[in-house]
Amino acid sequence: MFDRPPVGERAVLVHLDLGRSAEPEEREEFRLLALAAGAEIVGELGGARAKPDPRLFIGSGKADELKLLVEVGQAELVIFAHALSPAQERNLERHLQCRVLDRAGLILDIFAQRARSFEGKLQVELAQLSHLSTRLVRGWTHLERQKGGIGLRGPGETQLETDRRLLGKRIATLNKRLERIVGQRAQGRRARDKAELPTLSLVGYTNAGKSTLFNALTQAGVYQADQLFATLDPTLRRLELPGGQAVILADTVGFVSDLPHELVAAFRSTLEETRVADLLLHVIDAAGARRDGCIADVEEVLGEIGAGETPQLQVFNKIDLLADAEPRVERDAAGRVRRVWLSAATGSGLDLLLEAISEHVGAEWLHRRVHLSPAEGRLRAWFFTHAQVLTDRHTDQGGWDLEVRVAPADLERLLSRAPDLAKRLGVPASDMGPQEPPTPVAAGGISAPFPEETPWMVLEEAATAPTSSP
């Protein structure tokens, strides 16, 4: 038994090659994780094993070598770049006489430091308690079993059972609070669905530049820094696209390889914004040495949370760090945009991204030509407010010829306010949904049916040539 120090910033890092040689980028990422947690690295230990040692993970010889490193560097903490079992952590702590932390515990500590919102703190605490529940006995090594003799019977099991019961109650309380937050988020999503605004979610490996891109697009001012897990709490902002269409853009937590399952489970309400998004913007560090590996890690997490089938647009960021790289758009064989290369830091290529987003979210929009009479100025204003007006020409009779792209939902709402127009267009009443009661006309849009004597507009396919009269 040993007394654990209350704090432990001086750390020795352990990274073994298990069955294969680790890439230098993997080791560097592990060092960055330790630095992000605030550790002062005083030593590093490497090595290779075919498989972990069941008792000490690294074997007895390496454990002695590690103990010497701890003593020389006066380390208070040893951090492993691997997942350790509770028994291995306990055995290593006894042997090294200092605290031992595995990769999952390190990431949980970083999340605990970075969480700012009430929801984020609850999620991190839940993840930490879930991780701790399997390692509870480690803190009570002097009471972990009943001992014989007067005064030594029973307190070990009693203390552990009490701790487990308190831990279980706290986890249940956190789950109930998070369930209420899930309901609040669902209510917010229903409000956005009612407004018919598509939702886009930024996803990607940590430190790929998601928050920088989010700020460049929305001027939200969220915290951004060149460090792992700089931001955790989700942020949503309205984004205006070219042509006037609006979408909701969500900035979410970054992913990392071997993301602890406790975090994925605890952050389910945050990751729900990604699962229900209409389009994922997968931000990729174009200059990263492990670019392909990071893409695979993100795809794995997306599949785990149920977002693997969501439409995705890859955004290769940080091209300013590449030699002779220019902003560009890459399309597939069908002509659809699949990749956009840009730099969020310099703003180069942001216009290409906005156009690509407009193309994706507007793929199902209806393309029509609209012929309006001089008396239909309110209809013209409605299209400028709710649709994309591609061309606007005056006719000899004082009316207008418009070429527009309009969302089916917006057109449906217009037709529900003007049932006679639906009949003239041959739209079945059953396809229009519930009709809204007439309301007073509001400036800047149509909020009531037009009078019967008003000449109705005629919608034609965009392929039809416009005429000079309505």
Side-chain angles (χ1 to χ4, degrees):
M1 185 184 71
F2 71 97
D3 294 328
R4 294 178 178 171
V7 295
E9 307 297 337
R10 296 174 61 84
V12 174
L13 307 185
V14 180
H15 195 304
L16 298 185
D17 297 338
L18 296 175
R20 65 174 182 85
S21 297
E23 299 179 3
E25 292 77 17
E26 294 179 3
R27 296 180 180 274
E28 180 61 22
E29 180 184 270
F30 177 52
R31 293 186 76 258
L32 291 176
L33 283 172
L35 293 174
E40 178 187 349
I41 302 175
V42 297
E44 297 186 40
L45 178 66
R49 288 185 63 90
K51 60 181 181 179
D53 178 71
R55 181 172 174 270
L56 294 173
F57 189 85
I58 56 177
S60 57
K62 279 288 182 182
D64 292 337
E65 184 180 348
L66 179 58
K67 185 175 182 179
L68 181 61
L69 275 177
V70 170
E71 294 174 351
V72 171
Q74 297 182 343
E76 305 156 307
L77 175 66
V78 173
I79 307 176
F80 279 73
H82 316 276
L84 301 178
S85 69
Q88 288 170 339
E89 282 191 15
R90 186 166 61 251
N91 294 334
L92 284 167
E93 286 190 344
R94 286 172 174 168
H95 185 80
L96 302 174
Q97 294 295 295
C98 71
R99 291 183 59 237
V100 174
L101 199 64
D102 66 355
R103 181 184 178 88
L106 176 62
I107 295 176
L108 287 171
D109 184 82
I110 297 174
F111 272 57
Q113 295 181 43
R114 304 286 167 79
R116 293 293 180 267
S117 68
F118 176 71
E119 176 188 8
K121 292 177 180 178
L122 287 181
Q123 290 171 326
V124 172
E125 183 181 356
L126 177 60
Q128 287 181 313
L129 292 180
S130 299
H131 183 73
L132 179 63
S133 62
T134 60
R135 291 159 167 79
L136 186 61
V137 67
R138 190 181 57 175
W140 294 95
T141 53
H142 60 300
L143 299 175
E144 65 182 348
R145 61 173 58 88
Q146 291 183 356
K147 301 178 181 179
I150 298 174
L152 296 177
R153 298 182 178 91
E157 292 296 329
T158 302
Q159 183 65 62
L160 289 177
E161 288 301 322
T162 300
D163 286 348
R164 290 192 181 102
R165 186 161 50 252
L166 293 174
L167 196 64
K169 288 182 178 179
R170 181 58 180 170
I171 290 177
T173 300
L174 292 176
N175 279 321
K176 289 181 180 179
R177 291 183 179 180
L178 287 174
E179 285 176 3
R180 289 197 293 268
I181 294 177
V182 170
Q184 294 170 359
R185 285 194 173 275
Q187 185 177 3
R189 281 192 294 271
R190 285 194 296 270
R192 295 197 298 271
D193 293 340
K194 187 176 181 180
E196 301 291 347
L197 293 180
T199 301
L200 281 60
S201 181
L202 289 171
V203 300
Y205 210 81
T206 179
N207 205 30
K210 295 183 302 300
S211 296
T212 303
L213 179 60
F214 186 78
N215 286 335
L217 292 174
T218 65
Q219 289 75 50
V222 300
Y223 177 72
Q224 61 185 57
D226 185 17
Q227 60 182 199
L228 304 184
F229 300 114
T231 55
L232 298 183
D233 301 315
T235 307
L236 286 81
R237 290 292 186 273
R238 181 186 178 97
L239 174 64
E240 297 289 340
L241 300 177
Q245 185 187 7
V247 297
I248 299 297
L249 184 63
D251 183 22
T252 58
V253 62
F255 301 149
V256 71
S257 60
D258 301 323
L259 192 67
H261 292 286
E262 297 92 347
L263 273 179
V264 176
F267 275 69
R268 64 186 184 277
S269 62
T270 298
L271 298 175
E272 185 74 6
E273 299 292 345
T274 297
R275 194 182 67 82
V276 301
D278 299 291
L279 176 66
L280 300 180
L281 300 182
H282 183 175
V283 183
I284 301 165
D285 183 357
R290 287 190 62 246
R291 188 173 70 189
D292 293 339
C294 293
I295 294 175
D297 290 335
V298 172
E299 296 289 351
E300 181 180 352
V301 177
L302 290 177
E304 186 176 349
I305 66 176
E309 301 300 323
T310 304
Q312 188 178 127
L313 176 62
Q314 291 185 336
V315 182
F316 284 81
N317 188 27
K318 302 186 181 182
I319 64 171
D320 54 302
L321 302 180
L322 298 176
D324 302 327
E326 296 292 335
R328 65 183 187 274
V329 172
E330 295 182 1
R331 299 178 179 270
D332 59 15
R336 294 184 294 266
V337 178
R338 291 305 182 199
R339 299 181 185 89
V340 179
W341 295 71
L342 54 79
S343 171
T346 65
S348 178
L350 291 181
D351 54 337
L352 299 178
L353 176 61
L354 291 174
E355 292 173 3
I357 295 174
S358 298
E359 184 175 326
H360 264 273
V361 300
E364 298 181 356
W365 281 30
L366 303 175
H367 191 181
R368 297 289 189 269
R369 295 190 186 276
V370 185
H371 311 297
L372 304 179
S373 71
E376 294 176 315
R378 286 178 295 165
L379 269 175
R380 181 171 176 267
W382 185 92
F383 277 108
F384 272 95
T385 303
H386 298 88
Q388 294 182 10
V389 179
L390 304 179
T391 60
D392 177 21
R393 302 185 184 92
H394 287 278
T395 64
D396 296 338
Q397 290 74 25
W400 303 272
D401 285 340
L402 303 181
E403 183 181 354
V404 300
R405 296 178 72 245
V406 58
D410 289 332
L411 183 59
E412 179 181 331
R413 285 199 295 270
L414 173 64
L415 297 181
S416 69
R417 294 184 172 98
D420 290 344
L421 177 60
K423 293 178 182 178
R424 290 174 183 267
L425 295 174
V427 180
S430 59
D431 293 344
M432 298 189 304
Q435 297 185 10
E436 301 179 14
T439 55
V441 177
I446 298 173
S447 55
F450 290 99
E452 276 297 325
E453 62 271 19
T454 302
W456 291 105
M457 65 179 180
V458 178
L459 295 184
E460 299 177 354
E461 293 293 338
T464 304
T467 60
S468 60
S469 61

